[in-house]
């Protein structure tokens, strides 16, 4: 019996607390309504609703949104929003504010996306110019490399002095290709200098730059090998010259 009485008391207390809380909430809502019912007619007209939204929600209700709210909560023929419908008004204003924020966020996002797209397009054009220059450099480096690789074959039918002359020709070709490559390598390294690369594009841009830097280094290695072949050809020509001189001396 004591336990039952204790449970009943607990239930009664909880019910009383809920009622008291509801009463406090109702009084709070009534106070806000009364605060904004400036003409004390028991209704909030459009001007009063506009002021309420601005004061309580920091939201300037657009005219079309206000008309929609009134068409639902305070149809034509009524003085405005009655106190009984005030909670519905609060919900409607809250929803309208969030939709306005969503629209604003969307607008900001779309503007940013457009800005990013324009910056990427500009960067892609810069990269394309460098890539074209890199392709031209690759062509001359490869041609010089091909000439350098042919030196041992050509040397078989040449005298020492002719071998040196041909090696000098190829050396000039290799050096010219290397100079062109050095210019392009600098352009690749300078990619992004003076350009504002947005954070959203940084990974893409860095990957593009690394890719072309790697291609440049590969061509530099090829150019180095070509020069080594030229040096070898000259060394072979020196040895051949010594053999030719010795042969002349033995005659």
């Amino acid at each position: 019996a004591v336990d039952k009485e204790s449970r009943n008391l607990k239930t009664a207390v909880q019910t009383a607390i809920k009622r008291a809380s509801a009463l406090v909430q109702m009084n709070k809502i009534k106070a806000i309504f009364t605060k904004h019912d400036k003409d004390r007619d028991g209704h909030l007209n459009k001007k009063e609703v506009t002021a309420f939204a601005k004061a309580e929600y920091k939201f300037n209700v657009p005219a079309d949104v206000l008309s929609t709210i009134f068409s639902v909560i305070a149809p034509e023929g009524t003085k405005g929003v009655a106190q009984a419908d005030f909670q519905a008004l609060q919900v409607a204003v809250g929803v309208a504010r969030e939709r306005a924020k969503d629209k604003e966020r969307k607008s900001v996002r779309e503007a940013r996306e457009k800005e990013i797209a324009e910056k990427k397009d500009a960067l892609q054009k810069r990269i394309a110019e460098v890539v074209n220059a890199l392709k031209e450099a690759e062509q001359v480096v490869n041609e010089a490399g091909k000439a350098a690789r042919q030196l041992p074959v050509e040397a078989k039918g040449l005298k020492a002095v002719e071998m040196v002359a041909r090696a000098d020709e190829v050396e000039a070709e290799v050096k010219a290709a290397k100079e062109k490559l050095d210019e392009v390598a600098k352009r690749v390294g300078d990619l992004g200098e003076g350009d504002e690369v947005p954070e959203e594009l940084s990974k893409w841009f860095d990957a593009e730059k690394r890719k072309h830097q790697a291609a440049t280094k590969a061509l530099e290695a090829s150019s180095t090998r070509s020069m080594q072949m030229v040096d070898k050809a000259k060394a072979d020509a020196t040895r051949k010259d010594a053999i030719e001189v010795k042969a002349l001396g033995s005659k």
Side-chain angles (χ1 to χ4, degrees), residues 197-251:
V197 181
E199 184 180 352
E200 295 92 331
L201 296 177
S202 61
K203 287 185 178 180
W204 163 78
F205 182 77
D206 290 345
E208 285 291 309
K209 187 171 182 176
R210 286 194 301 270
K211 179 173 67 177
H212 300 307
Q213 285 176 324
T216 302
K217 287 181 179 179
L219 289 176
E220 288 173 342
S222 176
S223 181
T224 298
R225 288 193 296 272
S226 296
M227 188 56 71
Q228 290 170 344
M229 284 185 273
V230 169
D231 291 340
K232 184 178 183 304
K234 286 187 174 184
D236 290 343
T238 299
R239 285 191 292 271
K240 190 170 187 179
D241 182 64
I243 295 171
E244 290 174 350
V245 170
K246 184 176 180 180
L248 286 173
S250 64
K251 289 181 179 181

Side-chain angles (χ1 to χ4, degrees), residues 22-42:
L23 182 61
V24 169
Q25 184 62 23
M26 288 178 61
N27 288 336
K28 183 178 179 180
I29 292 173
K30 182 179 179 180
I32 297 173
F33 180 90
T34 303
K35 174 184 174 182
H36 295 286
D37 183 16
K38 300 298 183 181
D39 57 11
R40 298 292 185 267
D41 66 348

Side-chain angles (χ1 to χ4, degrees), residues 26-250:
M26 288 178 61
N27 288 336
K28 183 178 179 180
I29 292 173
K30 182 179 179 180
I32 297 173
F33 180 90
T34 303
K35 174 184 174 182
H36 295 286
D37 183 16
K38 300 298 183 181
D39 57 11
R40 298 292 185 267
D41 66 348
H43 294 78
L44 298 183
N45 56 39
K46 288 185 177 181
K47 183 178 180 180
E48 291 168 336
V49 169
T50 299
F52 154 73
K54 188 173 183 179
E56 304 295 334
Y57 289 84
K58 304 295 186 290
F59 175 51
N60 292 315
V61 185
D64 59 327
V65 175
L66 187 63
S67 295
T68 300
I69 290 174
F70 266 72
S71 69
V72 175
I73 301 176
E76 190 176 348
T78 62
K79 290 183 178 182
V81 180
Q83 184 176 323
D85 298 317
F86 188 55
Q87 282 184 290
L89 173 66
Q90 290 176 305
V91 172
V93 171
V95 169
R97 181 183 63 178
E98 289 309 306
R99 286 185 175 178
K101 286 183 177 180
D102 287 343
K103 186 176 180 180
E104 182 179 355
R105 284 191 288 266
K106 181 181 178 182
S107 178
V108 170
R109 185 183 71 251
E110 289 177 345
R112 180 60 176 171
E113 289 172 350
K114 181 181 178 183
E115 180 185 0
I116 295 301
E118 290 174 351
K119 286 187 179 295
K120 185 173 184 179
D121 183 59
L123 289 170
Q124 283 177 321
K125 288 179 180 177
R126 288 279 306 278
I127 291 172
E129 292 174 357
V130 173
V131 168
N132 288 335
L134 185 58
K135 287 180 179 178
E136 292 175 3
E138 180 181 17
Q139 183 177 351
V140 295
V141 168
N142 288 342
E143 288 174 354
K146 183 178 179 181
R149 288 191 297 274
Q150 284 294 112
L151 283 173
V153 178
E154 294 176 8
K156 293 177 181 179
L158 299 175
K159 292 184 179 297
V161 66
E162 293 172 329
M163 286 176 62
V164 171
R166 179 55 183 153
D168 286 342
E169 290 176 358
V170 176
E171 182 180 33
E173 187 177 347
V174 171
K175 285 182 176 179
K178 182 62 166 60
E179 288 176 3
K180 188 174 185 65
L181 180 58
D182 287 342
E183 292 175 1
V184 176
K186 185 178 185 308
R187 291 180 65 181
V188 172
D190 289 343
L191 276 173
E193 294 295 326
D195 292 315
E196 182 185 349
V197 181
E199 184 180 352
E200 295 92 331
L201 296 177
S202 61
K203 287 185 178 180
W204 163 78
F205 182 77
D206 290 345
E208 285 291 309
K209 187 171 182 176
R210 286 194 301 270
K211 179 173 67 177
H212 300 307
Q213 285 176 324
T216 302
K217 287 181 179 179
L219 289 176
E220 288 173 342
S222 176
S223 181
T224 298
R225 288 193 296 272
S226 296
M227 188 56 71
Q228 290 170 344
M229 284 185 273
V230 169
D231 291 340
K232 184 178 183 304
K234 286 187 174 184
D236 290 343
T238 299
R239 285 191 292 271
K240 190 170 187 179
D241 182 64
I243 295 171
E244 290 174 350
V245 170
K246 184 176 180 180
L248 286 173
S250 64

